[in-house]
Each structure stands twice: as structure tokens, then as C-alpha cells.
């Protein structure tokens, strides 16, 4: 399992739609072909839908259990101590982009299915692992293509969240704030590599002077766990007295706040907690300076009310705000039958009796009914997704595989719905 994960991690599968005439670029296409070949070698039935998505299946019967994984990864960023696309085993850890999000869980799921098939016990249900390739950029055209062309699972899970399980996911909004470059105060600026990451670097030019700031990357749904290099750039320029209207606007409305406090949209609810806001990327395009805001909002709120506040707050600055895409919140029954089987599997392996969670992250659980985000992050263990030096503990990988095996046994051999 470790060797196969190392091989998969060595494929730089950042989604770049259209690259090389492929739906999501050469890297995701190579990753998809690799896992399908691996699954076929284990005796799974496989399909590659012209690079749009792929799946591998075992068992027989009318009922279909789904495992929704993604093979694309966020860009590596800077400052790694190990090559991000090598799969380096060092001590009790395996390093590489995607080992925890989501290639490690995908490989663990494949091996769980392999063990189930090798047991020889007949399966009266089918188990299908579905491989997406554009989860990280938020487009999810892979899942849309799948839903248009294929049978939908009756229930299942996506191994792309937290244990013990996830019963709610906050809503997601990607909003841009654009100002004419001539009015911004910047001759040039570039920071961050993806909106859903805390940016670890930013470079800018003002009054013929160049500036660079460094930060620490982390997942955009928890911006307080990183150190935002864009914020550091705006703060530095404003504190040093440079005439940068965009920077002043940034410090007025965002600054070193994570919940929209300066924008008067720090909404929260009992079910899912506070709104979060991450300034994930800034760049120049078409004579504009464009800032990308990744917003995760509470499950009882509507995106329209949040967008209205954002537009009102930025209107005095002469900028354009746009909603680029959104995903509605997910909120399901935490006492439902599928959730119950998954919790039993997790607890039987770990002994942890923690309750299900609501998270700020967005998973493929949003894409289909009766899909629950289930692992791989274990409570109390470091979570390094979207960070430099992303790693997974070897013991955790083995635990994850065993949990998924027991979960599939319960779903496959018991009456669920």
C-alpha cells in the first residue's frame, strides 16, 4: 500500500483544464490511468470515461455503494523540506502533496476493497470507487459528468474529511474583488497559488521598488492555522507609508481577521460555528488587480445575505465584487443508518467515541445524496493538508485502511435503507 501511494504521489496532478487537450490536464489524466490500472490488477472492473472521471467496481447485485475520491491536488507551494512529488518515506511519515488529501485515502480505500474481494465472501451489493479530478479548484465538472452518464450510488462515503464522520459542511463562496491597476498603487503584484490555501508568498512592486513577503500555507477553511503572506504584504506597505489604495482597502476590510469582522459579516450559528474568510490569492489580469476571497459560511445562512453585505462594504472603494462560484451547505441526520454503520466501524478500530462533526471544508458529499465525509483525519493527530511538508503517519494510513474495510463490510453485508 505504501509503495503504491508513493507512485501515485509522484504524479503532479494539479488540475489544469484543457492542458494537452485533456479535460483536466496531463497530471490528473496520468493519476487516473494509474489508479485504474492498479484496480484492474486486483480484479476490479474499471472504466475511464474519456478522462472526465473513472471508476472501479467489485461485487454484484442491484444496490450500489459509492466511495467518492479525488486525485487532483492543490499546488505544492514553496519551502518544502522534501520533494512534494516524490513520496518520501522518512521515519514514521510519508511526505508528499496529496498523501492526506486525497491520494492516501484513495489508496487506502482501494486496498480495503481488495481485502474484501480477496476474502472470498460473495458480495450481494456492488462497491464502486469513483475517481474525480477537479475537486480542489471547486468546479466539480467531473462529478457533474458522472451524474449525467452513470448510475448514482444508493449511499456511501467520501474519504476526504475528518473522523469520526461529518454530518454538516458549511456553505462555500469564492468572491473576487477587482480594482483598476492604475488606481491600486501597485505596479505589479502576485500572491498565493489557489484561493482555498493560505498563501505562503507574495511579491509586489510599488514606486519602482520590489517587495516580498513569506508566510505559512494551510487549508483555506481554517485560515488561522496559517500565516497569510498577502496580509503581511498589505500591512508592510501601509505601515511604511506607501500610497497603495488597494492595500488600505484590504487592511480596512480584511486585515488580520479570519471571520469577516471588519466587513461586518462575522455570522455564526450554533450548528456550525463562525464564518471564515481567507484571502487566498491576488494577481493582475486585464489591467485589474484581483483578490480572491474563499468564504465558508454557517449552515443556517443564505449566500445572498452574505454577498449583499460584501458588496455594500466594498462599494465606497470603487471596486467590483463578483461571486465566482458557490456551494450550498450540507446538513444531514447524524443519527441516520449509514452514519451509524460508519461510526461503528471507526469506533471498533480506534476506541474513540467522539461525536460527528460539522466542518468548513467542502467535500464530494455535496455532490450526491446519502454520501458522508468519513475520515481520513484522526482527532488529535496533526492535519497537514494544503500545507508544505504534507505528510501522513504510516500507522494512521494502516488504521484508515482498516476502518474503511470494516465500514465496507458493514455497508455491503447489512440491510441499510
Amino acid at each position: 500500500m505504501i509503495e503504491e501511494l508513493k507512485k501515485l504521489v509522484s504524479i503532479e496532478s494539479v488540475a489544469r483544464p484543457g492542458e494537452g487537450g485533456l479535460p483536466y490536464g496531463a497530471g490528473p489524466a496520468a493519476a487516473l490511468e494509474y489508479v485504474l490500472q492498479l484496480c484492474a490488477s486486483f480484479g476490479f472492473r474499471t472504466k475511464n470515461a474519456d478522462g472526465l472521471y473513472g471508476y472501479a467496481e467489485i461485487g454484484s447485485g442491484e444496490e450500489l455503494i459509492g466511495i467518492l475520491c479525488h486525485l487532483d491536488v492543490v499546488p505544492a507551494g514553496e519551502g518544502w523540506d522534501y520533494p512534494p512529488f516524490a513520496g518520501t518515506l522518512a521515519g514514521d511519515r510519508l511526505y508528499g502533496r496529496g498523501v492526506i488529501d486525497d491520494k492516501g485515502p484513495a489508496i487506502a480505500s482501494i486496498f480495503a476493497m481488495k481485502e474484501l474481494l480477496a476474502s472470498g465472501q460473495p458480495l450481494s451489493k456492488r462497491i464502486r470507487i469513483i475517481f474525480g479530478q477537479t475537486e480542489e479548484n471547486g468546479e466539480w465538472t467531473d462529478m457533474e459528468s458522472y451524474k449525467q452518464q452513470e448510475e448514482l450510488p444508493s449511499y456511501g462515503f467520501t474519504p476526504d474529511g475528518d473522523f469520526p464522520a461529518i454530518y454538516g459542511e458549511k456553505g462555500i463562496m469564492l468572491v473576487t474583488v477587482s480594482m483598476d491597476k492604475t488606481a491600486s498603487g501597485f505596479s505589479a503584484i502576485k500572491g498565493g497559488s489557489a484561493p482555498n490555501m493560505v498563501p505562503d508568498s507574495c511579491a509586489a512592486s510599488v514606486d519602482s521598488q520590489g517587495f516580498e513577503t513569506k508566510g505559512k500555507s494551510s487549508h483555506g477553511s481554517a485560515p488561522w492555522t496559517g500565516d497569510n503572506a498577502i496580509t503581511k504584504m498589505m500591512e508592510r506597505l501601509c505601515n511604511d507609508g506607501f500610497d497603495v489604495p488597494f492595500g488600505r482597502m484590504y487592511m480596512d476590510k480584511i486585515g488580520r481577521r479570519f471571520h469577516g469582522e471588519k466587513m461586518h459579516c462575522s455570522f455564526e450559528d450554533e450548528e456550525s460555528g463562525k464564518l471564515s474568510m481567507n484571502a487566498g490569492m491576488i494577481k493582475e489580469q486585464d489591467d485589474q488587480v484581483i483578490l480572491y476571497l474563499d468564504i465558508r459560511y454557517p449552515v443556517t445562512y443564505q449566500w445572498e445575505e452574505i454577498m449583499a453585505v460584501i458588496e455594500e462594504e466594498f462599494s465606497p472603494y470603487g471596486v467590483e465584487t463578483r461571486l465566482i462560484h458557490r456551494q450550498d451547505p450540507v446538513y444531514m441526520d447524524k443519527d441516520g443508518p449509514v452514519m451509524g454503520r460508519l461510526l461503528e466501524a471507526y469506533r471498533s478500530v480506534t476506541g474513540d467515541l467522539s461525536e460527528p462533526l460539522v466542518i468548513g471544508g467542502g467535500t464530494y458529499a455535496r455532490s450526491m445524496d446519502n454520501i458522508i465525509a468519513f475520515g481520513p483525519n484522526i482527532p488529535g493527530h496533526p492535519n497537514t493538508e494544503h500545507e508544505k511538508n504534507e505528510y501522513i503517519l504510516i500507522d494512521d494510513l494502516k488504521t484508515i485502511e482498516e476502518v474503511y474495510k470494516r465500514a465496507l463490510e458493514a455497508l455491503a453485508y447489512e440491510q441499510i435503507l
Side-chain angles (χ1 to χ4, degrees):
M1 182 167 61
I2 295 168
E3 290 304 312
E4 299 300 343
L5 178 54
K6 288 168 66 175
K7 293 173 186 176
L8 182 57
V9 169
S10 71
I11 301 170
E12 185 178 351
S13 54
V14 177
R16 299 183 176 95
E19 178 190 66
L22 297 163
Y24 309 115
L32 178 61
E33 189 58 32
Y34 177 79
V35 295
L36 291 178
Q37 288 180 3
L38 177 64
C39 290
S41 74
F42 293 155
F44 301 2
R45 302 181 296 274
T46 64
K47 176 177 179 178
N48 186 335
D50 299 323
L52 293 169
Y53 59 86
Y55 67 76
E57 184 178 290
I58 62 173
S60 60
E62 294 185 4
E63 206 161 20
L64 181 65
I65 299 167
I67 307 171
L68 280 59
C69 304
H70 69 87
L71 302 174
D72 63 309
V73 297
V74 295
E78 301 178 351
W80 286 64
D81 297 318
Y82 301 92
F85 298 106
T88 303
L89 188 61
D92 61 352
R93 302 175 177 182
L94 181 65
Y95 289 87
R97 177 59 85 220
V99 291
I100 195 70
D101 182 22
D102 191 37
K103 292 180 175 180
I107 290 292
S109 300
I110 290 170
F111 273 79
M113 291 172 65
K114 174 179 179 286
E115 287 197 35
L116 207 57
L117 188 63
S119 71
Q121 186 174 356
L123 285 165
S124 60
K125 301 177 187 178
R126 289 169 292 140
I127 301 173
R128 178 180 291 181
I129 183 167
I130 303 165
F131 300 108
Q133 302 180 84
T134 183
E135 193 270 352
E136 293 292 4
N137 67 11
E139 294 180 359
W140 292 19
T141 50
D142 46 3
M143 290 297 105
E144 289 304 314
S145 296
Y146 178 90
K147 289 192 290 184
Q148 291 170 11
Q149 301 180 45
E150 305 289 351
E151 177 184 1
L152 297 182
S154 301
Y155 45 82
F157 63 87
T158 176
D160 190 25
D162 296 305
F163 286 126
I166 306 300
Y167 72 96
E169 298 181 13
K170 293 179 180 178
I172 299 177
M173 299 168 63
L174 178 60
V175 176
T176 57
V177 181
S178 304
M179 180 183 287
D180 287 341
K181 184 178 174 182
T182 53
S184 71
F186 289 105
S187 303
I189 188 165
K190 185 179 188 303
S193 52
N196 63 348
M197 296 175 65
V198 175
D200 61 3
S201 65
C202 185
S205 177
V206 178
D207 295 340
S208 301
Q209 298 183 56
F211 302 89
E212 185 175 4
T213 51
K214 296 293 184 181
K216 176 182 178 293
S217 64
S218 67
H219 199 291
S221 65
W224 50 89
T225 63
D227 185 16
N228 194 309
I230 296 174
T231 301
K232 294 173 79 171
M233 176 64 73
M234 302 302 180
E235 189 174 54
R236 175 181 177 181
L237 293 173
C238 289
N239 288 345
D240 289 350
F242 287 92
D243 183 18
V244 280
F246 198 104
R248 291 198 303 273
M249 175 189 69
Y250 185 101
M251 296 308 298
D252 286 347
K253 294 299 171 185
I254 302 171
R256 288 189 174 274
R257 297 291 187 272
F258 306 117
H259 305 293
E261 296 95 330
K262 289 195 166 191
M263 217 177 292
H264 302 102
C265 64
S266 54
F267 304 121
E268 63 179 299
D269 59 24
E270 184 177 350
E271 292 82 358
S272 56
K274 296 181 178 180
L275 175 147
S276 69
M277 182 178 296
N278 176 54
M281 193 165 70
I282 191 168
K283 67 178 184 179
E284 306 163 54
Q285 182 176 312
D286 300 328
D287 297 321
Q288 299 280 308
V289 172
I290 305 175
L291 177 70
Y292 290 77
L293 299 177
D294 182 344
I295 299 166
R296 314 293 171 110
Y297 62 93
V299 297
T300 59
Y301 284 79
Q302 302 296 319
W303 70 268
E304 293 93 341
E305 57 190 311
I306 297 166
M307 193 65 201
V309 173
I310 292 172
E311 290 172 343
E312 181 179 356
E313 291 291 317
F314 278 113
S315 62
Y317 295 90
V319 296
E320 179 186 18
T321 54
R322 291 182 59 201
L323 177 68
I324 302 302
H325 76 77
R326 65 179 178 84
Q327 295 175 355
D328 293 333
V330 172
Y331 199 61
M332 61 186 72
D333 181 7
K334 68 176 180 179
D335 298 316
V338 177
M339 180 72 76
R341 300 310 194 283
L342 299 183
L343 288 175
E344 288 171 9
Y346 170 75
R347 290 167 177 170
S348 70
V349 175
T350 66
D352 176 19
L353 301 181
S354 300
E355 289 296 311
L357 310 166
V358 175
I359 62 169
T363 76
Y364 279 154
R366 300 169 187 265
S367 67
M368 300 181 197
D369 292 337
N370 299 316
I371 301 296
I372 293 171
F374 184 49
N377 297 314
I378 297 174
H381 293 209
N383 179 6
T384 58
E385 62 183 1
H386 292 203
E387 297 184 8
K388 69 177 182 181
N389 295 325
E390 180 181 348
Y391 71 84
I392 190 169
L393 294 169
I394 299 303
D395 284 346
D396 283 358
L397 182 62
K398 295 175 181 177
T399 296
I400 291 163
E401 191 267 344
E402 179 63 22
V403 171
Y404 291 158
K405 180 173 75 72
R406 295 194 190 187
L408 290 174
E409 287 173 341
L411 296 178
Y413 296 121
E414 298 178 22
Q415 183 65 38
I416 305 298
L417 300 179

